[in-house]
Amino acid sequence: SLQYQPQISCLTGVTTGFETLMRWNNKKHGEIQPDIFVPLLEETGLIYSVGEWVVSQAVDFIRVNNIKDVIFSINLSALQCNDLTFVNYVRNTIASSGIDPSQIEFEITESLLIKDFDKTKLLLDEMHSIGCTIALDDFGTGYTSMNYLARLPIDIIKIDKALVHKIDVNNNLRSIVMAIVTMSDGLGIRNIFEGVETMAVLAVIKKMGGEVIQGFLFSKPLSAHNAVKWLDSVDTAKHA
Ligand code: C2E
Ligand code: CA
Ligand code: CA
């Protein structure tokens, strides 16, 4: 199944998007986390069909619930990014659903950029031509080359929870994250802070001029049913 974790604007408190996160509900072992089963999907090659299934679930969710102006981000495995038939699947699924393509975003990690720059650039360009956006996930944990950031069509960077976690108490981390925010502003790239768990961290992010936050402070990943309830309550609050 898919779960949906809200992403919230620091400025307005509005829900700007959801990250879609896969779960495997196994009869024998109960709920299994993606860190365990995604590597198995990759090893067995099932990631291609399951990756398409994730796209169809997210697109259906938007269409069936008539959701507008909220972005759903989908995690991509490195293998999927070498597969241009995936782009066609995305294009056809979005077109036949009638949803706005800018409501779908793809999250890639930097390991992918390093593997095959030209192929990855081609895939990102194709996704943009459909009207989808691209987020660079887990930013700050690996070896991101600034050169890649300058040359690739990245719309958003997601600052990793390992950096965000202690910015209220660790001056070095705070300086690094501040530099990332300044850099992304300069490049015209938006930012999302992952793993925000406390009010103290949120206060630092607001002071830095952070844009969007995602984390347990606001909500854990929600079931489809609860994500709809979340959006309804936000709507009600707006109209109240
Ligand atoms: P990720 O993309 O970095 O996803 C964020 C993870 O951080 C999620 O774990 C989420 O539940 C967790 N998280 C969110 N807020 C907080 C917080 O405030 N504190 C802490 N400590 N954790 C927080 P999850 O759902 O277990 O996903 C783990 C990883 O599995 C994801 O990391 C992603 O790389 C992968 N994954 C999930 N769904 C998919 C999918 O559909 N396709 C692919 N290829 N990978 C997926
Ligand atoms: Ca992600
Ligand atoms: Ca992440």
Side-chain angles (χ1 to χ4, degrees):
S1 62
L2 287 189
Q3 295 205 333
Y4 302 89
Q5 188 178 27
Q7 300 173 330
I8 288 139
S9 160
C10 267
L11 277 179
T12 62
V14 160
T15 299
T16 57
F18 289 89
E19 177 172 7
T20 65
L21 295 157
M22 237 194 303
R23 298 288 179 265
W24 179 14
N25 298 304
N26 182 280
K27 279 206 184 92
K28 191 162 154 211
H29 300 286
E31 188 171 273
I32 301 172
Q33 297 302 305
D35 286 335
I36 293 172
F37 71 78
V38 169
L40 295 176
L41 293 176
E42 290 177 334
E43 256 171 57
T44 53
L46 281 168
I47 192 71
Y48 298 107
S49 52
V50 174
E52 291 183 352
W53 175 84
V54 172
V55 173
S56 71
Q57 288 290 298
V59 167
D60 269 359
F61 184 72
I62 296 170
R63 181 183 57 79
V64 168
N65 296 294
N66 196 23
I67 299 169
K68 309 276 184 220
D69 303 322
V70 177
I71 294 172
F72 286 72
S73 68
I74 293 172
N75 291 284
L76 289 188
S77 135
L79 291 176
Q80 287 170 279
C81 293
N82 284 327
D83 176 24
L84 283 176
T85 58
F86 178 66
V87 178
N88 288 331
Y89 181 84
V90 171
R91 183 180 284 111
N92 294 337
T93 306
I94 290 177
S96 59
S97 75
I99 70 158
D100 179 349
S102 71
Q103 283 184 277
I104 298 290
E105 183 166 283
F106 291 98
E107 299 193 2
I108 61 165
T109 56
E110 55 198 3
S111 62
L112 222 141
L113 307 180
I114 294 163
K115 253 184 213 138
D116 191 336
F117 181 89
D118 291 333
K119 225 171 186 177
T120 305
K121 178 159 188 330
L122 182 65
L123 182 113
L124 302 191
D125 286 340
E126 289 285 325
M127 291 301 194
H128 271 147
S129 78
I130 298 172
C132 302
T133 48
I134 306 290
L136 189 53
D137 202 2
D138 302 341
F139 190 84
T141 52
Y143 305 95
T144 313
S145 157
M146 299 305 157
N147 190 23
Y148 290 143
L149 268 188
R151 289 159 63 207
L152 281 172
I154 302 288
D155 304 287
I156 289 154
I157 54 179
K158 296 192 76 174
I159 306 171
D160 192 75
K161 48 184 175 293
L163 288 180
V164 172
H165 207 51
K166 291 198 170 125
I167 45 173
D168 56 327
V169 288
N170 184 322
N171 290 339
N172 290 348
L173 282 181
R174 189 159 57 230
S175 301
I176 291 169
V177 172
M178 189 64 233
I180 294 175
V181 171
T182 308
M183 178 195 67
S184 62
D185 282 350
L187 290 167
I189 295 175
R190 283 172 284 142
N191 58 65
I192 295 187
F193 285 72
E194 285 195 310
V196 180
E197 293 182 352
T198 65
M199 288 300 286
V201 166
L202 176 63
V204 175
I205 294 171
K206 282 189 166 167
K207 222 167 147 190
M208 282 180 181
E211 291 169 41
V212 175
I213 43 167
Q214 180 183 342
F216 296 166
L217 177 63
F218 285 90
S219 175
K220 296 208 163 178
L222 303 170
S223 66
H225 176 75
N226 285 334
V228 172
K229 274 194 6 200
W230 174 278
L231 281 173
D232 284 348
S233 68
V234 172
D235 263 344
T236 318
K238 241 193 287 173
H239 296 145

